[in-house]
Amino acid sequence: MKTVQRAVLMLRRSKKETISFIMTLTISIGLLYLFVNLQIATKQNEINILEISDTTDLIMLIFTLAIAGICAWNSFNANTFFQKAKSKELCVYLSSGMNIVTLSKYLLVQNFILLIISTILGGILGIIFNPIVNLLIMILTSTSLPLFNITIYGTLTWIAILIFEFIFMVMSNVGYAYRTELKYLLDNSHRLDIGDTRMFKAKDPLYSVFFILGAIMLLILPAKDIFPMVGCVIGIFGLQGILRYAIPKRLELMKNQHTNLNSEKILIVGALYSLVKTMCFYIIILFALLILMSCFLFAYDMSNYMRIVLCIGYMLLLIMIGISIYYKLIIEAKKQVDEYYHLQLLGFLKKDLENIVKKEIRLIFLIILAAPFPYAIIIGLRFLFIQKISFILCLYVLLSYIVVLSLIGLFTEHIYLKIIFQKDKGEE
């Protein structure tokens, strides 16, 4: 009982991070519960739709696994942010003589408390949205469906996925107390640059060639089944090279040749260099999700109902990957607090620094939005030309991507600024 009380006290000392953690888990768990039940109910033919082909069933399973994977990713990112926000507190406990095993117990109890609350709230959120989604499907498909399609098998599948994800997160959280680099985690100005680790060092223009080649293959290969995905895979290879090597190298050259840049541009280029390398993996994942899921939606023949369900899954994926991008960026913001505080001490005006941060965030989100856009337009126009999809579906895929990520970008910019300049308010 004493352990639980101490764990609750530790949570109360970081209310903002605790609430943010619970909200993130609740949204991710709720959306996962919603789609898992939708997928299971469809598979079991418990709702009145056309017979489902094996291919369509496989696509539904891929969407479900993708949502479950992004849910786990969100949990990990939220957990990382939560623990880094508490790193000073953990150091105080360790330096005051608390045993590492005891501290691990407190972290374990904290995890269970947060996970139980988030699971209950997430389940309630999924149940609330279930009839809303079913009503939307009925309106769009002009079919008669049960308002609720919560299945026992779907609930059990959801619980099994959550148990697997939570075990991983608990292990990560408890292991945090055993790490020896807690002092390193407090050094917010540190930047890790491991250099070029490629086995095959291609010239930077070659990655652009691969990116263009993938787009060309989308135009010339048959617009059915797996063929469009071949071009997408080639495009992903080209994009990762552009993001990991070509753009950072160009930014580094601009940063080193700073004679033609003013102080503001030097800071923007330096910050953007760091963010592009940091966000590279996230942008590639987003590119793969948008393009590959678009191919699944467009290339395969399926009933109108199934296409609507997959469109809902596509929207859920966008929301969840957007949450992951948000957390990754605010974790980066935590690292930059001291840097911008020192810049103010050196004489930079807060207003000028705020403009720099805004440009930095807007530029990284511009890259996030622009990276997959040529492929998305080519895929949409290709399938529109052969009349395999409707204009409304094509517009939905493009606009949902732009709107969701733009809104997340605006919210991220607001929170990023608050974190960067938190020392002005006396927050440590």
Side-chain angles (χ1 to χ4, degrees), residues 22-84:
I22 291 174
M23 287 178 62
T24 302
L25 287 183
T26 298
I27 293 172
S28 298
I29 292 169
L31 296 181
L32 176 64
Y33 187 52
L34 173 66
F35 195 76
V36 164
N37 274 286
L38 198 59
Q39 190 254 343
I40 296 297
T42 303
K43 185 177 179 180
Q44 292 182 339
N45 290 322
E46 293 182 4
I47 46 184
N48 185 26
I49 61 172
L50 299 174
E51 185 178 352
I52 304 172
S53 66
D54 292 338
T55 302
T56 306
D57 189 32
L58 178 61
I59 294 173
M60 281 282 287
L61 179 61
I62 291 172
F63 267 75
T64 304
L65 292 177
I67 291 174
I70 300 299
C71 177
W73 197 7
N74 283 345
S75 302
F76 177 77
N77 284 330
N79 184 53
T80 300
F81 177 74
F82 180 71
Q83 290 304 329
K84 285 193 174 185

Short mmCIF file of all heavy atoms in Angstrom, two decimals, residues 22-84:
data_model
loop_
_atom_site.label_atom_id
_atom_site.label_comp_id
_atom_site.label_asym_id
_atom_site.label_seq_id
_atom_site.Cartn_x
_atom_site.Cartn_y
_atom_site.Cartn_z
N ILE A 22 -1.91 9.92 -20.38
CA ILE A 22 -3.21 9.23 -20.34
C ILE A 22 -4.04 9.55 -21.58
O ILE A 22 -4.66 8.66 -22.17
CB ILE A 22 -3.97 9.61 -19.06
CG1 ILE A 22 -3.29 9.02 -17.82
CG2 ILE A 22 -5.42 9.12 -19.12
CD1 ILE A 22 -3.88 9.45 -16.50
N MET A 23 -4.04 10.82 -22.00
CA MET A 23 -4.81 11.21 -23.18
C MET A 23 -4.30 10.50 -24.43
O MET A 23 -5.09 10.02 -25.25
CB MET A 23 -4.75 12.73 -23.37
CG MET A 23 -5.58 13.51 -22.37
SD MET A 23 -5.44 15.30 -22.61
CE MET A 23 -6.10 15.47 -24.26
N THR A 24 -2.98 10.43 -24.57
CA THR A 24 -2.41 9.77 -25.75
C THR A 24 -2.77 8.29 -25.78
O THR A 24 -3.21 7.76 -26.82
CB THR A 24 -0.88 9.92 -25.76
OG1 THR A 24 -0.55 11.30 -25.75
CG2 THR A 24 -0.27 9.27 -26.97
N LEU A 25 -2.59 7.61 -24.65
CA LEU A 25 -2.93 6.19 -24.59
C LEU A 25 -4.43 5.97 -24.81
O LEU A 25 -4.83 5.01 -25.47
CB LEU A 25 -2.50 5.60 -23.25
CG LEU A 25 -1.00 5.39 -23.04
CD1 LEU A 25 -0.76 4.73 -21.69
CD2 LEU A 25 -0.40 4.56 -24.14
N THR A 26 -5.24 6.85 -24.23
CA THR A 26 -6.69 6.71 -24.37
C THR A 26 -7.13 6.80 -25.83
O THR A 26 -7.91 5.97 -26.32
CB THR A 26 -7.42 7.78 -23.54
OG1 THR A 26 -7.09 7.61 -22.16
CG2 THR A 26 -8.93 7.68 -23.72
N ILE A 27 -6.60 7.81 -26.54
CA ILE A 27 -6.96 7.98 -27.95
C ILE A 27 -6.48 6.79 -28.78
O ILE A 27 -7.23 6.23 -29.59
CB ILE A 27 -6.36 9.29 -28.49
CG1 ILE A 27 -7.02 10.49 -27.81
CG2 ILE A 27 -6.55 9.39 -30.01
CD1 ILE A 27 -6.36 11.82 -28.13
N SER A 28 -5.22 6.38 -28.57
CA SER A 28 -4.67 5.26 -29.34
C SER A 28 -5.42 3.96 -29.07
O SER A 28 -5.77 3.23 -29.99
CB SER A 28 -3.18 5.08 -29.01
OG SER A 28 -2.44 6.23 -29.35
N ILE A 29 -5.67 3.69 -27.78
CA ILE A 29 -6.38 2.46 -27.41
C ILE A 29 -7.81 2.49 -27.92
O ILE A 29 -8.34 1.48 -28.41
CB ILE A 29 -6.34 2.27 -25.88
CG1 ILE A 29 -4.91 1.96 -25.43
CG2 ILE A 29 -7.28 1.16 -25.43
CD1 ILE A 29 -4.72 2.02 -23.92
N GLY A 30 -8.47 3.65 -27.82
CA GLY A 30 -9.85 3.77 -28.28
C GLY A 30 -9.98 3.54 -29.78
O GLY A 30 -10.88 2.83 -30.24
N LEU A 31 -9.08 4.14 -30.57
CA LEU A 31 -9.12 3.97 -32.02
C LEU A 31 -8.80 2.53 -32.41
O LEU A 31 -9.40 1.98 -33.35
CB LEU A 31 -8.14 4.93 -32.69
CG LEU A 31 -8.44 6.43 -32.51
CD1 LEU A 31 -7.40 7.27 -33.25
CD2 LEU A 31 -9.84 6.77 -33.00
N LEU A 32 -7.86 1.92 -31.69
CA LEU A 32 -7.54 0.51 -31.95
C LEU A 32 -8.74 -0.38 -31.66
O LEU A 32 -9.08 -1.27 -32.45
CB LEU A 32 -6.34 0.09 -31.10
CG LEU A 32 -5.93 -1.38 -31.18
CD1 LEU A 32 -5.46 -1.73 -32.59
CD2 LEU A 32 -4.82 -1.69 -30.17
N TYR A 33 -9.40 -0.15 -30.54
CA TYR A 33 -10.58 -0.94 -30.17
C TYR A 33 -11.69 -0.79 -31.21
O TYR A 33 -12.35 -1.77 -31.57
CB TYR A 33 -11.07 -0.49 -28.80
CG TYR A 33 -12.18 -1.34 -28.21
CD1 TYR A 33 -12.04 -2.72 -28.13
CD2 TYR A 33 -13.34 -0.77 -27.72
CE1 TYR A 33 -13.03 -3.51 -27.58
CE2 TYR A 33 -14.35 -1.55 -27.17
CZ TYR A 33 -14.19 -2.92 -27.11
OH TYR A 33 -15.18 -3.69 -26.58
N LEU A 34 -11.86 0.43 -31.69
CA LEU A 34 -12.89 0.70 -32.69
C LEU A 34 -12.64 -0.10 -33.96
O LEU A 34 -13.54 -0.78 -34.47
CB LEU A 34 -12.91 2.20 -32.99
CG LEU A 34 -13.79 2.68 -34.14
CD1 LEU A 34 -15.26 2.46 -33.81
CD2 LEU A 34 -13.53 4.14 -34.45
N PHE A 35 -11.41 -0.04 -34.48
CA PHE A 35 -11.15 -0.69 -35.76
C PHE A 35 -11.04 -2.20 -35.64
O PHE A 35 -11.44 -2.94 -36.55
CB PHE A 35 -9.87 -0.13 -36.39
CG PHE A 35 -9.73 -0.49 -37.84
CD1 PHE A 35 -10.49 0.18 -38.80
CD2 PHE A 35 -8.88 -1.49 -38.26
CE1 PHE A 35 -10.38 -0.15 -40.14
CE2 PHE A 35 -8.77 -1.83 -39.59
CZ PHE A 35 -9.52 -1.15 -40.55
N VAL A 36 -10.48 -2.70 -34.52
CA VAL A 36 -10.39 -4.16 -34.33
C VAL A 36 -11.79 -4.77 -34.34
O VAL A 36 -12.02 -5.80 -34.98
CB VAL A 36 -9.64 -4.50 -33.03
CG1 VAL A 36 -9.88 -5.95 -32.63
CG2 VAL A 36 -8.15 -4.24 -33.19
N ASN A 37 -12.73 -4.15 -33.63
CA ASN A 37 -14.09 -4.68 -33.62
C ASN A 37 -14.75 -4.57 -34.98
O ASN A 37 -15.50 -5.46 -35.40
CB ASN A 37 -14.94 -3.93 -32.57
CG ASN A 37 -14.80 -4.54 -31.19
OD1 ASN A 37 -15.34 -5.59 -30.90
ND2 ASN A 37 -14.04 -3.88 -30.34
N LEU A 38 -14.46 -3.50 -35.70
CA LEU A 38 -14.99 -3.34 -37.04
C LEU A 38 -14.46 -4.44 -37.96
O LEU A 38 -15.21 -5.03 -38.76
CB LEU A 38 -14.62 -1.97 -37.57
CG LEU A 38 -15.41 -1.41 -38.76
CD1 LEU A 38 -16.88 -1.30 -38.44
CD2 LEU A 38 -14.86 -0.04 -39.15
N GLN A 39 -13.17 -4.72 -37.84
CA GLN A 39 -12.55 -5.75 -38.68
C GLN A 39 -13.04 -7.15 -38.33
O GLN A 39 -13.37 -7.95 -39.20
CB GLN A 39 -11.03 -5.67 -38.53
CG GLN A 39 -10.27 -6.54 -39.52
CD GLN A 39 -9.66 -7.78 -38.89
OE1 GLN A 39 -9.54 -7.86 -37.67
NE2 GLN A 39 -9.32 -8.74 -39.70
N ILE A 40 -13.14 -7.46 -37.03
CA ILE A 40 -13.57 -8.78 -36.61
C ILE A 40 -15.05 -9.01 -36.96
O ILE A 40 -15.43 -10.09 -37.44
CB ILE A 40 -13.35 -8.97 -35.09
CG1 ILE A 40 -11.85 -8.91 -34.76
CG2 ILE A 40 -13.95 -10.28 -34.61
CD1 ILE A 40 -11.04 -10.02 -35.39
N ALA A 41 -15.88 -8.00 -36.74
CA ALA A 41 -17.30 -8.12 -37.06
C ALA A 41 -17.50 -8.34 -38.55
O ALA A 41 -18.35 -9.14 -38.97
CB ALA A 41 -18.05 -6.86 -36.61
N THR A 42 -16.70 -7.68 -39.36
CA THR A 42 -16.78 -7.86 -40.81
C THR A 42 -16.34 -9.26 -41.19
O THR A 42 -16.98 -9.93 -42.00
CB THR A 42 -15.88 -6.82 -41.51
OG1 THR A 42 -16.28 -5.52 -41.13
CG2 THR A 42 -15.99 -6.95 -43.02
N LYS A 43 -15.26 -9.73 -40.60
CA LYS A 43 -14.72 -11.05 -40.93
C LYS A 43 -15.69 -12.16 -40.57
O LYS A 43 -15.82 -13.16 -41.28
CB LYS A 43 -13.39 -11.25 -40.19
CG LYS A 43 -12.68 -12.55 -40.54
CD LYS A 43 -11.35 -12.64 -39.83
CE LYS A 43 -10.65 -13.96 -40.17
NZ LYS A 43 -9.34 -14.05 -39.49
N GLN A 44 -16.37 -12.01 -39.46
CA GLN A 44 -17.30 -13.04 -39.01
C GLN A 44 -18.67 -12.95 -39.69
O GLN A 44 -19.57 -13.71 -39.37
CB GLN A 44 -17.49 -12.94 -37.49
CG GLN A 44 -16.24 -13.31 -36.71
CD GLN A 44 -16.47 -13.24 -35.21
OE1 GLN A 44 -17.38 -12.58 -34.74
NE2 GLN A 44 -15.63 -13.94 -34.46
N ASN A 45 -18.78 -11.96 -40.62
CA ASN A 45 -20.05 -11.77 -41.34
C ASN A 45 -21.22 -11.55 -40.39
O ASN A 45 -22.33 -12.05 -40.61
CB ASN A 45 -20.34 -12.96 -42.25
CG ASN A 45 -19.41 -13.02 -43.43
OD1 ASN A 45 -19.05 -12.01 -43.99
ND2 ASN A 45 -19.01 -14.23 -43.80
N GLU A 46 -20.98 -10.81 -39.31
CA GLU A 46 -22.04 -10.52 -38.36
C GLU A 46 -22.87 -9.31 -38.79
O GLU A 46 -23.84 -8.95 -38.14
CB GLU A 46 -21.46 -10.29 -36.97
CG GLU A 46 -20.85 -11.54 -36.38
CD GLU A 46 -20.32 -11.32 -34.98
OE1 GLU A 46 -20.50 -10.22 -34.44
OE2 GLU A 46 -19.72 -12.25 -34.43
N ILE A 47 -22.42 -8.67 -39.86
CA ILE A 47 -23.20 -7.56 -40.38
C ILE A 47 -23.53 -7.84 -41.83
O ILE A 47 -22.88 -8.63 -42.51
CB ILE A 47 -22.42 -6.23 -40.26
CG1 ILE A 47 -20.99 -6.40 -40.74
CG2 ILE A 47 -22.43 -5.71 -38.86
CD1 ILE A 47 -20.15 -5.18 -40.56
N ASN A 48 -24.58 -7.24 -42.33
CA ASN A 48 -25.15 -7.58 -43.62
C ASN A 48 -24.41 -6.89 -44.76
O ASN A 48 -24.75 -5.79 -45.17
CB ASN A 48 -26.63 -7.16 -43.65
CG ASN A 48 -27.32 -7.59 -44.93
OD1 ASN A 48 -26.91 -8.57 -45.56
ND2 ASN A 48 -28.36 -6.87 -45.31
N ILE A 49 -23.36 -7.55 -45.24
CA ILE A 49 -22.61 -7.01 -46.37
C ILE A 49 -22.37 -8.12 -47.38
O ILE A 49 -22.73 -9.28 -47.15
CB ILE A 49 -21.24 -6.45 -45.91
CG1 ILE A 49 -20.42 -7.57 -45.27
CG2 ILE A 49 -21.42 -5.30 -44.95
CD1 ILE A 49 -19.01 -7.16 -44.97
N LEU A 50 -21.75 -7.77 -48.50
CA LEU A 50 -21.42 -8.75 -49.51
C LEU A 50 -20.34 -9.69 -49.00
O LEU A 50 -19.60 -9.39 -48.09
CB LEU A 50 -20.95 -8.05 -50.79
CG LEU A 50 -21.96 -7.11 -51.45
CD1 LEU A 50 -21.29 -6.39 -52.62
CD2 LEU A 50 -23.19 -7.87 -51.92
N GLU A 51 -20.22 -10.83 -49.63
CA GLU A 51 -19.21 -11.81 -49.22
C GLU A 51 -17.80 -11.22 -49.39
O GLU A 51 -17.50 -10.56 -50.37
CB GLU A 51 -19.34 -13.07 -50.09
CG GLU A 51 -18.40 -14.18 -49.67
CD GLU A 51 -18.59 -15.42 -50.52
OE1 GLU A 51 -19.54 -15.45 -51.32
OE2 GLU A 51 -17.78 -16.34 -50.37
N ILE A 52 -16.96 -11.49 -48.42
CA ILE A 52 -15.63 -10.89 -48.40
C ILE A 52 -14.63 -11.86 -49.05
O ILE A 52 -14.57 -13.04 -48.69
CB ILE A 52 -15.19 -10.59 -46.97
CG1 ILE A 52 -16.23 -9.70 -46.29
CG2 ILE A 52 -13.83 -9.94 -46.93
CD1 ILE A 52 -15.98 -9.52 -44.82
N SER A 53 -13.82 -11.36 -49.97
CA SER A 53 -12.80 -12.19 -50.60
C SER A 53 -11.60 -12.33 -49.67
O SER A 53 -11.43 -11.56 -48.73
CB SER A 53 -12.36 -11.56 -51.93
OG SER A 53 -11.71 -10.33 -51.69
N ASP A 54 -10.77 -13.34 -49.97
CA ASP A 54 -9.58 -13.55 -49.14
C ASP A 54 -8.62 -12.37 -49.23
O ASP A 54 -7.98 -11.99 -48.24
CB ASP A 54 -8.86 -14.83 -49.60
CG ASP A 54 -9.67 -16.08 -49.29
OD1 ASP A 54 -10.53 -16.01 -48.38
OD2 ASP A 54 -9.44 -17.11 -49.94
N THR A 55 -8.52 -11.77 -50.42
CA THR A 55 -7.63 -10.61 -50.60
C THR A 55 -8.08 -9.43 -49.76
O THR A 55 -7.29 -8.78 -49.09
CB THR A 55 -7.59 -10.21 -52.08
OG1 THR A 55 -7.15 -11.31 -52.87
CG2 THR A 55 -6.64 -9.04 -52.29
N THR A 56 -9.39 -9.15 -49.80
CA THR A 56 -9.93 -8.05 -49.02
C THR A 56 -9.76 -8.30 -47.52
O THR A 56 -9.44 -7.38 -46.76
CB THR A 56 -11.42 -7.84 -49.34
OG1 THR A 56 -11.57 -7.69 -50.74
CG2 THR A 56 -11.96 -6.59 -48.65
N ASP A 57 -9.97 -9.54 -47.13
CA ASP A 57 -9.78 -9.91 -45.72
C ASP A 57 -8.33 -9.69 -45.30
O ASP A 57 -8.05 -9.19 -44.20
CB ASP A 57 -10.18 -11.37 -45.52
CG ASP A 57 -10.23 -11.75 -44.05
OD1 ASP A 57 -10.56 -10.89 -43.23
OD2 ASP A 57 -9.93 -12.92 -43.74
N LEU A 58 -7.38 -10.01 -46.19
CA LEU A 58 -5.96 -9.81 -45.90
C LEU A 58 -5.64 -8.32 -45.78
O LEU A 58 -4.88 -7.91 -44.90
CB LEU A 58 -5.11 -10.45 -46.99
CG LEU A 58 -3.59 -10.28 -46.86
CD1 LEU A 58 -3.09 -10.92 -45.57
CD2 LEU A 58 -2.88 -10.88 -48.07
N ILE A 59 -6.22 -7.50 -46.65
CA ILE A 59 -6.00 -6.06 -46.59
C ILE A 59 -6.53 -5.50 -45.28
O ILE A 59 -5.89 -4.66 -44.64
CB ILE A 59 -6.66 -5.36 -47.80
CG1 ILE A 59 -5.96 -5.78 -49.11
CG2 ILE A 59 -6.61 -3.84 -47.64
CD1 ILE A 59 -6.65 -5.27 -50.35
N MET A 60 -7.70 -5.98 -44.85
CA MET A 60 -8.25 -5.54 -43.56
C MET A 60 -7.30 -5.90 -42.42
O MET A 60 -7.08 -5.10 -41.50
CB MET A 60 -9.61 -6.21 -43.32
CG MET A 60 -10.76 -5.58 -44.07
SD MET A 60 -11.35 -4.06 -43.29
CE MET A 60 -12.19 -4.74 -41.86
N LEU A 61 -6.72 -7.09 -42.48
CA LEU A 61 -5.79 -7.54 -41.45
C LEU A 61 -4.53 -6.65 -41.44
O LEU A 61 -4.04 -6.28 -40.37
CB LEU A 61 -5.40 -9.00 -41.67
CG LEU A 61 -4.39 -9.60 -40.68
CD1 LEU A 61 -4.95 -9.58 -39.26
CD2 LEU A 61 -4.02 -11.02 -41.09
N ILE A 62 -4.05 -6.28 -42.63
CA ILE A 62 -2.87 -5.41 -42.73
C ILE A 62 -3.17 -4.05 -42.10
O ILE A 62 -2.34 -3.51 -41.37
CB ILE A 62 -2.44 -5.26 -44.21
CG1 ILE A 62 -1.89 -6.59 -44.73
CG2 ILE A 62 -1.40 -4.15 -44.35
CD1 ILE A 62 -1.62 -6.60 -46.22
N PHE A 63 -4.35 -3.51 -42.38
CA PHE A 63 -4.73 -2.23 -41.78
C PHE A 63 -4.78 -2.35 -40.26
O PHE A 63 -4.32 -1.46 -39.55
CB PHE A 63 -6.10 -1.79 -42.33
CG PHE A 63 -6.03 -0.90 -43.53
CD1 PHE A 63 -5.72 -1.42 -44.77
CD2 PHE A 63 -6.27 0.46 -43.42
CE1 PHE A 63 -5.65 -0.60 -45.89
CE2 PHE A 63 -6.20 1.29 -44.53
CZ PHE A 63 -5.89 0.75 -45.77
N THR A 64 -5.36 -3.44 -39.76
CA THR A 64 -5.47 -3.64 -38.31
C THR A 64 -4.09 -3.73 -37.66
O THR A 64 -3.83 -3.11 -36.61
CB THR A 64 -6.27 -4.91 -37.99
OG1 THR A 64 -7.55 -4.83 -38.61
CG2 THR A 64 -6.46 -5.08 -36.49
N LEU A 65 -3.19 -4.50 -38.27
CA LEU A 65 -1.83 -4.64 -37.73
C LEU A 65 -1.09 -3.31 -37.78
O LEU A 65 -0.31 -2.98 -36.86
CB LEU A 65 -1.07 -5.71 -38.51
CG LEU A 65 -1.57 -7.15 -38.34
CD1 LEU A 65 -0.78 -8.10 -39.24
CD2 LEU A 65 -1.46 -7.59 -36.88
N ALA A 66 -1.31 -2.53 -38.85
CA ALA A 66 -0.66 -1.22 -38.95
C ALA A 66 -1.14 -0.30 -37.84
O ALA A 66 -0.35 0.40 -37.21
CB ALA A 66 -0.95 -0.61 -40.32
N ILE A 67 -2.45 -0.30 -37.58
CA ILE A 67 -3.00 0.54 -36.50
C ILE A 67 -2.47 0.08 -35.15
O ILE A 67 -2.11 0.90 -34.29
CB ILE A 67 -4.54 0.50 -36.53
CG1 ILE A 67 -5.05 1.22 -37.79
CG2 ILE A 67 -5.13 1.14 -35.28
CD1 ILE A 67 -6.55 1.11 -38.00
N ALA A 68 -2.39 -1.26 -34.95
CA ALA A 68 -1.84 -1.78 -33.68
C ALA A 68 -0.38 -1.38 -33.52
O ALA A 68 0.07 -1.02 -32.43
CB ALA A 68 -1.99 -3.30 -33.64
N GLY A 69 0.39 -1.45 -34.62
CA GLY A 69 1.80 -1.06 -34.55
C GLY A 69 1.99 0.41 -34.23
O GLY A 69 2.84 0.77 -33.41
N ILE A 70 1.18 1.28 -34.85
CA ILE A 70 1.28 2.71 -34.57
C ILE A 70 0.82 3.01 -33.15
O ILE A 70 1.35 3.91 -32.48
CB ILE A 70 0.45 3.52 -35.59
CG1 ILE A 70 0.97 3.26 -37.01
CG2 ILE A 70 0.52 5.00 -35.29
CD1 ILE A 70 2.40 3.67 -37.24
N CYS A 71 -0.17 2.24 -32.67
CA CYS A 71 -0.63 2.40 -31.28
C CYS A 71 0.54 2.11 -30.31
O CYS A 71 0.76 2.85 -29.35
CB CYS A 71 -1.80 1.46 -31.01
SG CYS A 71 -2.40 1.49 -29.29
N ALA A 72 1.26 1.02 -30.57
CA ALA A 72 2.42 0.69 -29.73
C ALA A 72 3.50 1.76 -29.83
O ALA A 72 4.13 2.14 -28.83
CB ALA A 72 2.99 -0.67 -30.15
N TRP A 73 3.68 2.28 -31.02
CA TRP A 73 4.67 3.34 -31.25
C TRP A 73 4.29 4.60 -30.48
O TRP A 73 5.14 5.24 -29.85
CB TRP A 73 4.73 3.62 -32.75
CG TRP A 73 5.93 4.36 -33.21
CD1 TRP A 73 7.04 4.70 -32.48
CD2 TRP A 73 6.17 4.88 -34.52
NE1 TRP A 73 7.94 5.39 -33.25
CE2 TRP A 73 7.44 5.51 -34.50
CE3 TRP A 73 5.44 4.87 -35.70
CZ2 TRP A 73 7.97 6.12 -35.63
CZ3 TRP A 73 5.98 5.47 -36.82
CH2 TRP A 73 7.22 6.09 -36.78
N ASN A 74 3.01 4.96 -30.52
CA ASN A 74 2.54 6.12 -29.74
C ASN A 74 2.77 5.92 -28.25
O ASN A 74 3.17 6.85 -27.54
CB ASN A 74 1.05 6.35 -30.00
CG ASN A 74 0.79 7.01 -31.34
OD1 ASN A 74 1.69 7.54 -31.96
ND2 ASN A 74 -0.45 6.99 -31.79
N SER A 75 2.49 4.71 -27.78
CA SER A 75 2.68 4.41 -26.36
C SER A 75 4.15 4.57 -25.97
O SER A 75 4.47 5.13 -24.92
CB SER A 75 2.20 2.99 -26.05
OG SER A 75 0.84 2.82 -26.39
N PHE A 76 5.02 4.09 -26.83
CA PHE A 76 6.46 4.18 -26.55
C PHE A 76 6.92 5.64 -26.54
O PHE A 76 7.67 6.06 -25.65
CB PHE A 76 7.24 3.38 -27.59
CG PHE A 76 8.73 3.48 -27.42
CD1 PHE A 76 9.37 2.74 -26.43
CD2 PHE A 76 9.49 4.30 -28.23
CE1 PHE A 76 10.74 2.83 -26.25
CE2 PHE A 76 10.86 4.39 -28.07
CZ PHE A 76 11.49 3.65 -27.08
N ASN A 77 6.46 6.43 -27.53
CA ASN A 77 6.85 7.84 -27.59
C ASN A 77 6.32 8.62 -26.39
O ASN A 77 7.03 9.46 -25.81
CB ASN A 77 6.33 8.48 -28.88
CG ASN A 77 7.16 8.08 -30.09
OD1 ASN A 77 8.35 7.82 -29.98
ND2 ASN A 77 6.54 8.02 -31.25
N ALA A 78 5.05 8.37 -26.03
CA ALA A 78 4.47 9.04 -24.87
C ALA A 78 5.21 8.65 -23.60
O ALA A 78 5.45 9.48 -22.72
CB ALA A 78 2.98 8.70 -24.76
N ASN A 79 5.58 7.37 -23.51
CA ASN A 79 6.31 6.88 -22.35
C ASN A 79 7.70 7.52 -22.27
O ASN A 79 8.17 7.89 -21.18
CB ASN A 79 6.42 5.36 -22.41
CG ASN A 79 7.09 4.78 -21.19
OD1 ASN A 79 6.70 5.04 -20.07
ND2 ASN A 79 8.12 3.98 -21.41
N THR A 80 8.35 7.66 -23.41
CA THR A 80 9.67 8.29 -23.45
C THR A 80 9.60 9.74 -22.98
O THR A 80 10.42 10.19 -22.16
CB THR A 80 10.24 8.24 -24.89
OG1 THR A 80 10.35 6.88 -25.30
CG2 THR A 80 11.62 8.89 -24.93
N PHE A 81 8.61 10.47 -23.48
CA PHE A 81 8.43 11.86 -23.06
C PHE A 81 8.13 11.95 -21.57
O PHE A 81 8.67 12.81 -20.86
CB PHE A 81 7.29 12.49 -23.86
CG PHE A 81 6.97 13.90 -23.46
CD1 PHE A 81 7.82 14.95 -23.81
CD2 PHE A 81 5.84 14.19 -22.72
CE1 PHE A 81 7.53 16.26 -23.43
CE2 PHE A 81 5.54 15.49 -22.33
CZ PHE A 81 6.40 16.53 -22.69
N PHE A 82 7.29 11.05 -21.09
CA PHE A 82 6.90 11.03 -19.68
C PHE A 82 8.11 10.78 -18.79
O PHE A 82 8.31 11.47 -17.78
CB PHE A 82 5.84 9.95 -19.47
CG PHE A 82 5.34 9.84 -18.06
CD1 PHE A 82 4.53 10.81 -17.51
CD2 PHE A 82 5.67 8.74 -17.28
CE1 PHE A 82 4.07 10.71 -16.20
CE2 PHE A 82 5.22 8.62 -15.98
CZ PHE A 82 4.41 9.60 -15.43
N GLN A 83 8.94 9.81 -19.16
CA GLN A 83 10.08 9.47 -18.33
C GLN A 83 11.18 10.53 -18.39
O GLN A 83 11.84 10.81 -17.39
CB GLN A 83 10.65 8.10 -18.74
CG GLN A 83 9.74 6.94 -18.39
CD GLN A 83 9.40 6.89 -16.92
OE1 GLN A 83 10.18 7.30 -16.08
NE2 GLN A 83 8.22 6.40 -16.61
N LYS A 84 11.37 11.14 -19.57
CA LYS A 84 12.39 12.19 -19.66
C LYS A 84 11.98 13.41 -18.85
O LYS A 84 12.83 14.13 -18.31
CB LYS A 84 12.61 12.57 -21.13
CG LYS A 84 13.43 11.54 -21.88
CD LYS A 84 13.91 12.05 -23.21
CE LYS A 84 14.82 11.04 -23.87
NZ LYS A 84 15.41 11.54 -25.13
#
